[in-house]
């Protein structure tokens, strides 16, 4: 059996027009039906917050965006209709202003993420598709076959799948080395890209795990999924095929704050230096 991708940068260059992309998080505030939702401010406040972050990120020169219901704590393994509808509506309002490729992530429901991605014409989804975990959400057992079947059923085969194989807020029950896991996931579950995370949002991914995964699947992109900061992005891009960044671009480096234009500028300065070095 052979790996699915055709080159280390092929999927990323197809999506973002360049190798080593920076994919910036578009964190949604809490959505209707979740404990922290602000019912007085309503959906208008959610869209306004996203629009502010969008303007800063696009002007700051990032390569792609990833919409995620980060505010919907405590996180769930199955997403209700209200959050699916709200997320699709919010992204839909922003579509006329989007000039970058974008993806969708609904924590932690791959089918819901695919449904929204198809509705809003996104290019990729980020999810945990494989494995069994002891997690903050309970026993976590995603079903990759069901997700890929559903992608086909809704006519969304063009949507690329970014597999988070070392997810936040969880510990795998399997003790397989990360390299063996990465290769197994690419071969058996048709991952388009592999993501390596830290133990929670904003926590650094282990660079040795990225190296190990890349050695195991040299034809599949491997990205750092969490914890990339201004001070570490050069070192990270020396190893990873790209980065997904959220907390590191927020005011005061705090996940729930708005995006900080100065942090974006400094971060992208470091990225450009890293690309020149490469």
């Amino acid at each position: 059996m052979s790996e699915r991708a055709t080159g280390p940068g092929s999927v990323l260059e197809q999506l973002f027009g360049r190798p080593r992309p920076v994919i910036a998080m578009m964190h949604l505030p809490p959505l209707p039906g979740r404990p922290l939702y602000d019912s007085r401010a309503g959906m208008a406040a959610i869209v306004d917050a996203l629009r502010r972050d969008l303007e800063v990120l696009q002007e700051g020169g990032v390569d792609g965006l990833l919409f995620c219901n980060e505010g919907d704590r405590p996180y769930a393994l199955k997403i209700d209709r209200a959050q699916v509808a709200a997320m699709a509506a919010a992204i839909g309002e922003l579509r006329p202003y989007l000039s970058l490729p974008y993806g969708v992530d609904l924590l932690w429901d791959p089918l819901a993420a695919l449904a929204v991605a198809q509705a809003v014409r996104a290019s990729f989804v980020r999810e945990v598709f494989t494995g069994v975990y002891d997690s903050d959400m309970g026993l976590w057992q995603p079903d990759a076959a069901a997700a890929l079947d559903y992608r086909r059923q809704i006519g969304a085969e063009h949507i690329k799948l970014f597999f988070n194989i070392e997810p936040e807020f969880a510990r795998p029950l399997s003790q397989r080395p990360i390299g063996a896991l990465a290769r197994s996931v690419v071969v058996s579950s048709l991952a388009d890209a592999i993501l390596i995370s830290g133990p929670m949002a904003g926590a650094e991914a282990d660079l040795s795990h990225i190296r190990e995964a890349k050695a195991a699947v040299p034809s599949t992109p491997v990205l750092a999924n969490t914890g990339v900061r201004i001070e570490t992005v050069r070192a990270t891009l020396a190893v990873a095929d790209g980065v997904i960044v959220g907390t590191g671009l927020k005011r005061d480096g705090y996940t729930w704050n708005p995006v900080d234009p100065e942090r974006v500028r400094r971060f992208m300065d470091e990225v450009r230096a890293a690309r020149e070095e490469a």
Side-chain angles (χ1 to χ4, degrees):
M1 299 178 72
S2 62
E3 294 167 11
R4 189 163 181 256
T6 57
S10 60
V11 171
L12 301 182
E13 290 182 19
Q14 176 186 345
L15 289 176
F16 306 106
R18 66 169 308 122
R20 292 185 173 84
V22 172
I23 304 168
M25 296 302 303
M26 289 284 290
H27 287 153
L28 278 79
L31 296 172
R34 297 315 314 275
L36 299 179
Y37 174 61
D38 186 345
S39 57
R40 290 189 176 182
M43 285 293 298
I46 293 174
V47 174
D48 287 345
L50 289 173
R51 187 178 287 114
R52 288 192 297 271
D53 283 353
L54 175 64
E55 182 177 347
V56 172
L57 291 170
Q58 291 191 151
E59 289 183 356
V62 303
D63 304 300
L65 304 166
L66 178 56
F67 291 89
C68 179
N69 62 328
E70 199 78 23
D72 280 349
R73 296 173 290 165
Y75 300 122
L77 299 178
K78 296 294 181 183
I79 302 300
D80 182 71
R81 294 181 290 268
Q83 290 90 59
V84 171
M87 191 163 188
I91 299 171
E93 287 201 40
L94 293 177
R95 280 196 66 245
Y97 310 101
L98 288 165
S99 61
L100 295 173
Y102 56 96
V104 169
D105 181 16
L106 264 75
L107 306 167
W108 296 93
D109 189 332
L111 271 62
L114 281 164
V116 171
Q118 176 70 332
V120 302
R121 306 180 196 177
S123 301
F124 65 99
V125 298
R126 175 186 73 174
E127 279 295 342
V128 178
F129 292 96
T130 57
V132 181
Y133 305 90
D134 165 18
S135 80
D136 293 354
M137 294 74 66
L139 185 63
W140 187 359
Q141 188 173 352
D143 186 339
L148 271 74
D149 287 350
Y150 184 66
R151 181 177 65 165
R152 184 172 182 83
Q153 290 164 17
I154 64 174
E157 294 95 332
H158 61 284
I159 295 175
K160 302 301 184 184
L161 305 181
F162 286 26
F163 277 52
N164 186 356
I165 66 168
E166 198 171 24
E168 311 92 297
F169 311 110
R171 179 181 62 185
L173 299 188
S174 167
Q175 297 303 310
R176 283 185 290 173
I178 200 73
L181 177 59
R183 179 156 180 80
S184 179
V185 163
V186 168
V187 171
S188 72
S189 299
L190 310 179
D192 291 305
I194 295 294
L195 306 181
I196 304 296
S197 311
M200 62 184 298
E204 283 188 71
D206 189 327
L207 293 187
S208 69
H209 287 192
I210 296 175
R211 291 189 187 95
E212 186 179 341
K214 280 177 57 62
V217 289
S219 296
T220 302
V222 178
L223 295 85
N225 187 49
T226 65
V228 185
R229 305 189 309 276
I230 295 166
E231 299 82 5
T232 63
V233 66
R234 279 206 213 189
T236 303
L237 284 176
V239 177
D241 293 313
V243 299
I244 298 176
V245 56
T247 299
L249 302 182
K250 298 297 188 73
R251 190 176 63 219
D252 300 326
Y254 182 59
T255 302
W256 316 111
N257 280 345
V259 171
D260 182 339
E262 177 62 15
R263 280 180 174 263
V264 175
R265 183 192 66 77
R266 292 172 56 204
F267 190 93
M268 293 309 298
D269 283 347
E270 291 295 311
V271 169
R272 283 185 281 271
R275 288 169 177 164
E276 289 175 4
E277 291 171 1

